[in-house]
Amino acid sequence: SYITPCISICTIDAATNICIGCKRTRDQIKNWPNMTFEDRMKIMHQLGYGRRKTRLNREDILEGTTKDK
């Protein structure tokens, strides 16, 4: 078993050739099982995985808000 960005919304956009669910190209999806862990992690990072989506500062935490900065 290995990590994957697939969210089971597997539809390729004909104009971009990119999956609307996971944002990988058709070739990335096809080659995913044969890629090294390092290659998969590079793609995951390019897709935004491993980065915080929202950055909170101290005031936000104290106020209990989660708005984007």
Side-chain angles (χ1 to χ4, degrees):
S1 179
Y2 48 79
I3 192 166
T4 176
C6 181
I7 58 171
S8 298
I9 303 174
C10 306
T11 303
I12 302 293
D13 181 300
T16 63
N17 225 18
I18 294 175
C19 177
I20 64 170
C22 68
K23 308 299 184 210
R24 291 178 291 170
T25 66
R26 186 183 303 270
D27 285 340
Q28 289 171 334
I29 294 167
K30 180 179 76 173
N31 295 321
W32 198 258
N34 301 318
M35 288 181 179
T36 65
F37 175 82
E38 290 78 16
D39 287 342
R40 285 189 217 120
M41 291 303 101
K42 285 178 190 174
I43 293 169
M44 295 286 289
H45 183 72
Q46 290 168 355
L47 295 173
Y49 289 85
R51 287 184 250 159
R52 291 183 184 173
K53 301 292 183 195
T54 303
R55 184 176 188 116
L56 300 177
N57 63 31
R58 187 176 188 281
E59 291 78 23
D60 291 334
I61 294 168
L62 292 173
E63 293 173 9
T65 63
T66 58
K67 63 185 178 229
D68 287 334
K69 293 288 176 196

